[in-house]
């Protein structure tokens, strides 16, 4: 974790001003629905629609999902109640920790050993329990982890299937038979007049968060387009008079989830430094011996010498750049004093030029001691899931661009009934410091008080969700001559200060 995050937080508490991209309130006009009907809104989507924040689905997140905020503002123009499948958990469920302890959502904490600030589980969490409310009255069909494909499959709610998602199964109308899209479309057919559709993120983010190690998690272009048409078509056909919004996928480069861990500056625990230092000293002695022999050899031309020299390995354990195997390094064999030879492994510390990113999920691997250390190359096969290479990042960027083109085309094909909400562009503006309200700028970070992302670095926090709701309101008002009042984003919670 980056050690300077604490100082960034302190600076951000003071630095509260930025470029203006205001959402003014329409104080002099009466709220009107215009050319749209907001009597009953239905939302279908993945984790952001569900209100998943801080690596968990919990009460505060659900209550501050953008669709919940949007529905509340729509009440001024005839909108009805917006029922959500309450999770009834203050801390939610993040992971199973040591000794099978159920861990709750992530919060910012100070590492007592290093002084660095970063995400860590709050402590005790709760396993998702079945929804006990009236399923037929639900409006929010957001399910964390769902893809376009799984949203169309009944296996999503089947507890005996590998595709089972308990966060859908807990409120599925008929677990194992119903589908998420089918349930949302049924809600639309039962009086729905407006809908929000945001699916597709997990068709690429799941692959990215796993270090691009499982190609099966990356949806093909043809499958994405076909599934998008099926899912969106079901919502449109459920009520041919209804209108709605469709949202696209933010660029991976805008998500702090992939930059919170600095592979160039991993803090090595004090307890293992002596042993690792001894091993590194031996390797560096061998490398220095090899380099000295190459340098002293007058038969080797200078340009060739440069290609044969090997970089020594860092011993700076406060901020250690992890190792990688590099086949381009020269073959290096040195004689041993006791006889025989030693082949120096082709390893080096990674550099900025390698362009490697590590998803936040890699933090668990680091903390659980799976073997990532100064003596273990990051790109050994068993660690493929904890990092992304430059080529993998480019693949993911291209995939997001392709998926967004399909989403844009679908919106254009149904332009009389649909608005495309360009969240990718919106978050890009956030990253450029162009979005603010009341002179408080939103930033593309997890740093309180102005950070837009929750502590998991991928999902917007409550304050950013309010900005998203206002953006949607702005587009609806422009499209259909409505006058839905906007909310005050600064009245919604961002990330808590470090504990």
């Amino acid at each position: 974790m980056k050690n300077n995050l604490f100082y960034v937080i302190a600076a951000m508490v003071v630095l509260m001003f930025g470029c203006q991209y205001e959402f003014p309130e329409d104080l002099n006009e009466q709220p009107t629905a215009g050319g749209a009907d907001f009597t009953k809104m239905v939302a279908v989507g993945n984790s952001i629609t569900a209100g998943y924040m801080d690596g968990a689905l919990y009460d505060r997140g659900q209550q501050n999902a953008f669709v919940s905020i949007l529905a509340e503002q729509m009440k001024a123009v005839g909108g009805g109640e917006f029922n959500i499948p309450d999770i009834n958990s203050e801390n939610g469920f993040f992971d199973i920790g040591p000794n099978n302890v159920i861990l709750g959502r992530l919060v910012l904490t100070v590492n007592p050993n290093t002084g660095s600030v970063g995400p860590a589980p709050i402590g005790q969490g709760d396993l998702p329990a079945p929804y006990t409310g009236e399923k037929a009255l639900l409006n929010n069909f957001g399910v964390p982890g769902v893809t376009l494909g799984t949203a169309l499959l009944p296996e999503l709610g089947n507890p005996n299937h590998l595709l089972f998602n308990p966060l859908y199964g807990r409120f599925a109308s008929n677990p194992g038979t119903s589908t998420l899209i089918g349930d949302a479309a049924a809600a639309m057919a039962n009086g729905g007049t407006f809908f929000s559709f945001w699916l597709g993120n997990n068709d690429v983010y799941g692959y990215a968060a796993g270090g691009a190690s499982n190609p099966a998690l990356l949806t093909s272009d043809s499958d994405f387009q076909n599934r998008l048409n099926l899912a969106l078509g079901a919502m449109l056909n459920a009520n041919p008079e209804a209108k709605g919004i469709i949202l696209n996928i933010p660029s991976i480069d805008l998500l702090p989830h992939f930059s919170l861990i600095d592979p160039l500056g991993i803090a090595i625990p004090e307890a293992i430094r002596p042993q690792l230092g001894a091993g590194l000293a031996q390797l560096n002695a061998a490398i220095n011996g090899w380099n000295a022999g190459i340098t002293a050899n007058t038969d080797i031309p200078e340009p060739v010498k440069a290609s044969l020299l090997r970089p020594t390995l860092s011993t700076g354990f406060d901020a250690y750049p992890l190792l990688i195997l590099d086949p381009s390094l020269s073959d290096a064999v040195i004689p041993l004093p006791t006889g025989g030879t030693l082949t120096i492994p082709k390893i080096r510390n990674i550099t900025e030029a390698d362009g490697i990113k590590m998803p936040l999920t890699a933090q668990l691997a680091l903390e659980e001691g799976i073997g990532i250390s100064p003596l273990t190359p990051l790109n050994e096969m068993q660690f493929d899931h904890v990092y992304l290479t430059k080529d993998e990042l480019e693949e993911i960027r291209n995939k997001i661009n392709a998926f967004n083109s399909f989403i844009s085309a679908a919106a254009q094909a149904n332009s009389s009934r649909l608005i495309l909400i360009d969240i990718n562009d919106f978050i890009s503006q956030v990253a450029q410091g162009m979005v603010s309200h009341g002179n408080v700028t939103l930033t593309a970070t997890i740093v309180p008080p102005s950070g837009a992302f929750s502590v998991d670095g991928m999902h917007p926090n409550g304050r950013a969700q309010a900005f998203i709701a206002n953006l949607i309101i702005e587009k609806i008002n422009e499209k259909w001559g409505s006058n839905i009042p906007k909310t005050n984003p600064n009245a919604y919670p961002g990330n808590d200060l470090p504990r």
Side-chain angles (χ1 to χ4, degrees):
M1 208 66 61
K2 292 185 177 180
N3 292 339
N4 64 351
L5 183 55
F6 178 81
Y7 302 103
V8 176
I9 289 173
M12 288 304 299
V13 172
V14 178
L15 185 60
M16 299 288 285
F17 297 92
C19 300
Q20 298 300 299
Y21 185 85
E22 299 289 356
F23 295 109
E25 297 182 23
D26 300 318
L27 299 177
N28 299 319
E29 298 182 47
Q30 290 298 314
T32 56
D37 185 348
F38 307 106
T39 304
K40 179 181 177 180
M41 182 175 73
V42 175
V44 64
N46 44 47
S47 48
I48 301 178
T49 299
Y52 188 97
M53 301 177 195
D54 305 319
L57 189 65
Y58 67 106
D59 294 340
R60 189 175 80 178
Q62 281 191 306
Q63 294 157 7
N64 292 292
F66 77 95
V67 285
S68 295
I69 299 169
L70 182 61
E72 186 63 28
Q73 299 307 112
M74 285 178 173
K75 288 181 179 179
V77 294
E81 292 300 316
F82 188 77
N83 299 308
I84 64 176
D86 299 290
I87 198 73
N88 293 321
S89 175
E90 183 179 348
N91 290 332
F93 170 68
F94 169 67
D95 196 12
I96 301 292
N99 301 317
N100 292 319
V101 173
I102 301 170
L103 299 176
R105 62 187 176 92
L106 297 170
V107 292
L108 288 173
T109 62
V110 181
N111 186 317
N113 297 319
T114 64
S116 63
V117 175
I122 192 173
Q124 186 71 37
D126 304 292
L127 288 173
Y131 176 61
T132 57
E134 180 56 57
K135 296 178 182 179
L137 299 180
L138 286 174
N139 298 77
N140 191 346
F141 296 87
V143 175
V146 73
T147 65
L148 274 168
T150 57
L152 294 162
L153 295 176
E155 289 81 2
L156 188 70
N158 183 352
N160 298 315
H161 197 277
L162 289 174
L163 292 178
F164 174 63
N165 185 323
L167 294 175
Y168 170 60
R170 64 184 296 270
F171 69 81
S173 62
N174 191 359
T177 301
S178 62
T179 68
L180 178 62
I181 289 296
D183 284 349
M188 280 299 296
N190 185 25
T193 60
F194 195 89
F195 69 89
S196 169
F197 185 100
W198 196 356
L199 285 166
N201 300 42
N202 291 328
D203 289 77
V204 61
Y205 286 169
Y207 175 69
S213 60
N214 185 358
L217 297 178
L218 187 62
T219 304
S220 70
D221 289 1
S222 59
D223 282 346
F224 187 94
Q225 187 173 27
N226 291 335
R227 293 165 183 173
L228 174 65
N229 291 337
L230 284 171
L232 183 60
M235 297 298 291
L236 289 166
N237 295 334
N239 178 356
E241 302 300 320
K243 296 179 172 65
I245 57 171
I246 182 171
L247 299 92
N248 61 10
I249 307 170
S251 166
I252 188 175
D253 297 299
L254 300 173
L255 305 179
H257 183 89
F258 297 96
S259 58
L260 289 171
I261 300 174
D262 183 4
L264 299 176
I266 300 295
I268 305 302
E270 291 283 352
I272 64 173
R273 291 186 182 188
Q275 180 182 358
L276 295 176
L280 285 171
Q282 291 179 347
L283 273 173
N284 281 337
I287 293 169
N288 286 326
W290 167 262
N291 289 343
I294 294 297
T295 301
N297 193 326
T298 57
D299 295 330
I300 302 176
E302 290 301 322
V304 177
K305 284 184 180 180
S307 67
L308 294 175
L309 294 175
R310 296 283 294 272
T312 54
L313 304 175
S314 173
T315 56
F317 291 153
D318 289 333
Y320 197 85
L322 293 174
L323 296 184
I324 59 170
L325 293 167
D326 186 349
S328 70
L329 295 176
S330 64
D331 294 321
V333 181
I334 61 170
L336 294 174
T338 56
T341 60
L342 169 68
T343 300
I344 303 174
K346 294 186 177 184
I347 57 177
R348 63 171 173 82
N349 296 107
I350 62 173
T351 67
E352 192 74 37
D354 291 312
I356 286 175
K357 287 182 178 286
M358 299 180 74
L360 183 59
T361 44
Q363 180 66 19
L364 295 177
L366 289 165
E367 291 176 351
E368 292 171 5
I370 64 169
I372 298 177
S373 78
L375 295 180
T376 307
L378 186 61
N379 52 344
E380 285 191 352
M381 184 58 67
Q382 64 264 39
F383 304 134
D384 189 41
H385 64 292
V386 302
Y387 74 101
L388 292 165
T389 66
K390 190 183 297 185
D391 290 342
E392 288 168 344
L393 286 164
E394 189 61 26
E395 175 191 31
I396 291 165
R397 294 184 188 107
N398 291 337
K399 186 63 73 172
I400 290 174
N401 289 338
F403 289 175
N404 280 344
S405 69
F406 296 137
I407 293 170
S408 179
Q412 184 61 37
N414 299 279
S415 58
S416 64
R417 298 178 60 190
L418 277 181
I419 302 173
L420 172 65
I421 305 298
D422 193 349
I423 291 295
N424 185 37
D425 178 69
F426 173 72
I427 297 182
S428 176
Q429 292 186 49
V430 172
Q432 297 173 61
M434 298 171 62
V435 177
S436 67
H437 182 84
N439 290 325
V440 180
T441 301
L442 198 64
T443 62
T445 69
I446 68 169
V447 179
S450 59
F453 290 90
S454 68
V455 182
D456 61 40
M458 185 174 289
H459 302 91
N461 58 29
R463 184 166 175 263
Q465 298 254 12
F467 272 98
I468 292 171
N470 276 346
L471 173 65
I472 293 168
I473 290 170
E474 183 178 88
K475 299 302 180 183
I476 290 174
N477 289 348
E478 289 175 358
K479 175 79 172 181
W480 288 303
S482 310
N483 187 29
I484 304 170
K486 295 168 185 162
T487 191
N488 174 14
N490 296 336
Y492 293 83
N495 295 340
D496 300 326
L497 290 173
R499 299 183 175 215

